[in-house]
């Protein structure tokens, strides 16, 4: 459950207090202001330098001149020839000075800088990606990176696991849209952990999972290498999803903000982790991992109705005010993560948080929790625990019905435009002028003509 919570809210609880009296931390950004990590209060950056004598000394002098204390620094070879990359943490109180250092790195030393976590400045309408390549702009704006683990994480004291997590983070950090997702050689220990989870959950799916999940799962076994002794590769799974519904996977190095994560869904892109939970606790993970993604989320993304429903939540988030992002994240929590649906006279699970948790998958269909009908207006305001089984679940009549309800809810979001996804160009069309409305009308007319022709041929 912690994993699903962090998927949509990062490290913060639904009732977390907002910082008072702070200034926007990122100059010139079109993003909305968000909180920094409350536990560590750090800003994380990666900068790359050419491999030449004195380059690092010059860079460090910039930090020294501005009085910035580096809380952490580590180096690694860059994928770019003759360059090295440096990952740093600085105290968030140095945010203003850091802007000047970043400018110096770029202008005086010709360094490349990527900010991984930083508060974002408010704007009238929050920036959102216009085409699928724009996802590259925030894919590394994450709330944690690589081997950074909380003290209560099962792998916190395991240096081998922490090093392995950094390997996965580096893969995601260097990924760009259109590239092939690098294949991972999973260790025997990692495969054994996957095998424990896979075996236990597969025994429950026939009786507890929705029919869409059970219809797709055998296809994943046949075409994507879903087996007890094998962890599927993200690239294989992504290609399978694209052939089914146009959804695709994108590796992510850590936890995205709710706004950024939901924006990916608008393009039918799911930001997926590639690492696996620690072997000491195979039935528990405090964050999303490859078991949660591949066993819980992926099967439903291959279903056309569920894919449309998920995308509808993403489209509703584009340009939405902060308070509505929080409400949409709550809708996501009670549907995509912990949703139940009616199927005939029975109720089945379709939420990934349920389908990847052996214990809660059983709990959700007992008489212990309270079941309520899915209504976005009410669901989006429901509070929920993150460290225990849910006391309340919302039941959808169907994915199509849930999609229409989310669409009506989205119409109440105060934004001066409507958006539409163009699958041909993989871009977002903002419907705020006559030309765009004309194009939409022509597209609808064309589709209606095809529908009428098909109906005539069936007579």
């Amino acid at each position: 459950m912690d994993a699903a919570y962090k998927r949509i809210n990062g490290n913060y609880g639904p009732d977390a207090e907002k910082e008072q009296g702070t200034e926007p931390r990122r100059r010139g950004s079109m993003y909305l202001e968000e909180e920094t990590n409350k536990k560590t209060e750090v800003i994380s950056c990666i900068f790359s330098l050419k491999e030449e004598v004195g380059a690092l000394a010059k860079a460090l002098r910039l930090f020294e001149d501005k009085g910035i204390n580096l809380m952490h620094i580590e180096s690694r070879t860059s994928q770019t020839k003759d360059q090295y990359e440096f990952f740093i943490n600085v105290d968030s109180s140095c945010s203003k000075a850091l802007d000047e250092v970043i400018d110096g790195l770029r202008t005086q030393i010709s360094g490349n800088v990527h900010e991984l976590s930083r508060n974002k400045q408010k704007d009238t309408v929050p920036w959102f990606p216009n085409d699928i390549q724009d996802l590259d702009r925030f894919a590394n704006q994450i709330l944690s990176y690589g081997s950074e683990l909380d003290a209560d994480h099962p792998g916190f004291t395991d240096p081998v696991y922490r090093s392995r997590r950094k390997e996965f983070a580096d893969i995601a950090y260097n990924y760009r849209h259109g590239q092939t997702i690098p294949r991972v050689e999973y260790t025997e220990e990692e495969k054994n952990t996957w095998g424990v989870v896979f075996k236990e959950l597969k025994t429950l799916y026939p009786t507890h999972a929705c029919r869409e999940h059970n219809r797709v799962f055998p296809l994943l076994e046949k075409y994507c290498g879903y087996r007890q002794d094998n962890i599927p590769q993200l690239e294989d799974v992504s290609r399978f999803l694209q052939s089914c519904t146009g959804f695709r996977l994108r590796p992510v190095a850590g936890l995205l903000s709710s706004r950024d994560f939901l924006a990916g869904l608008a393009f039918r892109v799911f930001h997926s982790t590639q690492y696996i939970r620690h072997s000491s606790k195979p039935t528990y993970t405090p964050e999303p991992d490859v078991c949660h993604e591949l066993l819980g989320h992926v099967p439903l993304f291959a279903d056309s109705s569920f894919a449309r429903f998920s995308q509808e939540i993403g489209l509703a988030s584009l340009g939405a005010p902060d308070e509505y992002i929080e409400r949409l994240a709550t809708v996501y929590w009670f549907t995509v993560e912990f949703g139940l649906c009616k199927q005939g006279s029975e109720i089945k699970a379709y939420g990934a948080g349920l389908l990847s948790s052996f214990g809660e998958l059983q709990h959700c269909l007992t008489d212990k929790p309270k079941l309520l009908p899915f209504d976005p207006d009410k669901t989006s305001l429901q509070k929920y625990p993150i460290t225990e089984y849910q006391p309340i679940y919302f039941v959808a009549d169907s994915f199509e019905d849930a999609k229409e309800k989310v669409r009506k809810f989205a119409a109440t979001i105060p934004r001066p435009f409507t958006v539409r996804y163009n699958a041909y160009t993989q871009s977002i069309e903002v419907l705020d002028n006559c030309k765009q409305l004309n194009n939409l009308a022509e597209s609808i007319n064309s589709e209606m003509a095809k529908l009428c022709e098909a109906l005539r041929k069936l007579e």
Side-chain angles (χ1 to χ4, degrees):
M1 190 178 302
D2 288 354
Y5 175 76
K6 287 189 176 183
R7 158 69 70 214
I8 57 173
N9 291 290
N11 294 320
Y12 317 117
D15 299 315
E17 292 184 8
K18 294 183 179 179
E19 288 185 281
Q20 298 295 321
T22 56
E23 296 180 15
R25 304 290 182 87
R26 190 177 181 199
R27 184 183 59 194
S29 172
M30 293 180 288
Y31 293 91
L32 282 179
E33 180 181 1
E34 295 175 6
E35 294 179 289
T36 50
N37 189 312
K38 291 289 188 180
K39 294 181 180 179
T40 57
E41 290 290 340
V42 300
I43 299 171
S44 302
C45 294
I46 287 180
F47 64 91
S48 57
L49 301 173
K50 290 181 180 179
E51 188 178 355
E52 58 187 25
V53 177
L56 179 59
K58 291 179 184 176
L60 294 179
R61 197 170 299 120
L62 290 173
F63 289 95
E64 183 181 359
D65 291 345
K66 297 298 178 182
I68 297 177
N69 179 41
L70 298 182
M71 301 170 66
H72 176 80
I73 182 170
E74 60 183 81
S75 63
R76 63 186 180 186
T77 304
S78 173
Q79 289 194 349
T80 303
K81 187 178 179 182
D82 297 329
Q83 285 193 1
Y84 270 85
E85 292 179 348
F86 300 89
F87 173 75
I88 62 168
N89 284 338
V90 303
D91 189 276
S92 61
S93 62
C94 303
S95 185
K96 273 191 172 182
L98 181 61
D99 279 329
E100 298 178 29
V101 171
I102 288 174
D103 285 344
L105 287 171
R106 288 171 174 158
T107 58
Q108 300 175 35
I109 308 179
S110 301
N112 295 313
V113 185
H114 302 277
E115 297 176 51
L116 299 180
S117 56
R118 176 85 88 104
N119 277 12
K120 300 166 185 179
Q121 192 175 32
K122 290 185 178 179
D123 199 355
T124 305
V125 175
W127 177 90
F128 57 86
N130 289 115
D131 59 60
I132 200 166
Q133 286 84 6
D134 284 346
L135 300 186
D136 288 342
R137 292 181 59 177
F138 63 71
N140 291 318
Q141 293 279 349
I142 54 177
L143 305 177
S144 65
Y145 182 83
S147 57
E148 296 175 7
L149 301 176
D150 291 339
D152 58 352
H153 192 287
F156 181 74
T157 59
D158 184 343
V160 175
Y161 182 77
R162 293 173 72 99
S163 175
R164 184 67 165 155
R165 285 288 296 267
K166 185 177 178 298
E167 290 178 33
F168 286 111
D170 289 345
I171 289 173
Y173 169 72
N174 289 295
Y175 177 82
R176 296 295 179 269
H177 172 72
Q179 295 177 348
T180 299
I181 302 174
R183 305 183 81 81
V184 173
E185 195 68 40
Y186 288 99
T187 66
E188 286 304 313
E189 183 179 30
E190 289 168 337
K191 291 177 185 176
N192 289 337
T193 301
W194 162 274
V196 171
V197 180
F198 184 93
K199 181 181 179 181
E200 288 192 346
L201 288 171
K202 192 177 177 183
T203 62
L204 285 180
Y205 287 156
T207 54
H208 290 65
C210 63
R211 69 171 69 97
E212 290 82 0
H213 186 281
N214 287 328
R215 176 181 62 82
V216 172
F217 202 80
L219 299 177
L220 293 168
E221 291 179 303
K222 182 177 181 180
Y223 297 111
C224 298
Y226 274 52
R227 298 193 312 271
Q228 186 175 332
D229 63 349
N230 179 66
I231 303 177
Q233 297 291 330
L234 292 195
E235 178 65 21
D236 296 338
V237 177
S238 185
R239 287 180 180 273
F240 173 80
L241 289 178
Q242 288 178 60
S243 70
C244 294
T245 61
F247 249 94
R248 69 184 69 210
L249 302 181
R250 178 183 177 124
V252 67
L255 298 165
L256 291 170
S257 69
S258 298
R259 182 179 294 280
D260 291 346
F261 177 76
L262 294 176
L265 296 179
F267 293 85
R268 298 204 174 199
V269 172
F270 181 74
H271 288 82
S272 173
T273 55
Q274 211 167 4
Y275 55 80
I276 195 164
R277 61 195 66 183
H278 195 262
S279 59
S280 64
K281 291 187 176 180
T283 59
Y284 169 75
T285 177
E287 62 200 333
D289 77 329
V290 75
C291 296
H292 176 78
E293 320 287 40
L294 298 185
L295 297 174
H297 281 293
V298 161
L300 271 298
F301 284 133
D303 176 77
S304 58
S305 291
F306 184 82
R308 285 193 295 269
F309 166 67
S310 300
Q311 185 178 32
E312 205 65 43
I313 296 177
L315 289 169
S317 76
L318 301 181
D322 274 352
E323 61 270 24
Y324 277 88
I325 290 296
E326 182 181 346
R327 294 183 68 182
L328 284 168
T330 302
V331 168
Y332 180 94
W333 171 269
F334 281 114
T335 55
V336 180
E337 290 293 352
F338 290 96
L340 299 175
C341 61
K342 294 179 182 177
Q343 297 200 323
S345 60
E346 298 180 301
I347 292 178
K348 300 290 185 178
Y350 72 88
L354 301 174
L355 295 169
S356 60
S357 169
F358 187 79
E360 191 157 7
L361 185 53
Q362 296 177 88
H363 164 80
C364 70
L365 298 182
T366 65
D367 57 3
K368 294 179 182 178
K370 183 178 181 180
L371 304 186
L372 298 174
F374 174 63
D375 177 355
D377 289 321
K378 297 177 181 177
T379 302
S380 63
L381 300 173
Q382 179 64 49
K383 301 298 181 182
Y384 51 84
I386 62 172
T387 58
E388 59 189 56
Y389 293 161
Q390 296 297 296
I392 296 175
Y393 297 100
F394 288 88
V395 183
D397 289 334
S398 67
F399 296 143
E400 285 298 324
D401 179 69
K403 181 193 71 175
E404 289 306 314
K405 288 179 177 177
V406 168
R407 184 172 289 172
K408 290 179 181 177
F409 176 70
T412 68
I413 296 175
R415 55 182 180 180
F417 50 79
T418 299
V419 296
R420 170 178 178 264
Y421 180 64
N422 186 323
Y424 297 110
T425 60
Q426 296 182 316
S427 63
I428 298 296
E429 295 178 351
V430 178
L431 304 177
D432 62 351
N433 59 67
C434 292
K435 185 176 184 298
Q436 289 290 350
L437 296 179
N438 239 6
N439 292 340
L440 176 59
E442 289 177 7
S443 176
I444 293 173
N445 284 337
S446 176
E447 294 300 315
M448 286 298 296
K450 292 176 184 176
L451 175 62
C452 291
E453 179 185 353
L455 288 173
R456 283 196 302 271
K457 291 182 177 181
L458 290 175
E459 292 177 354

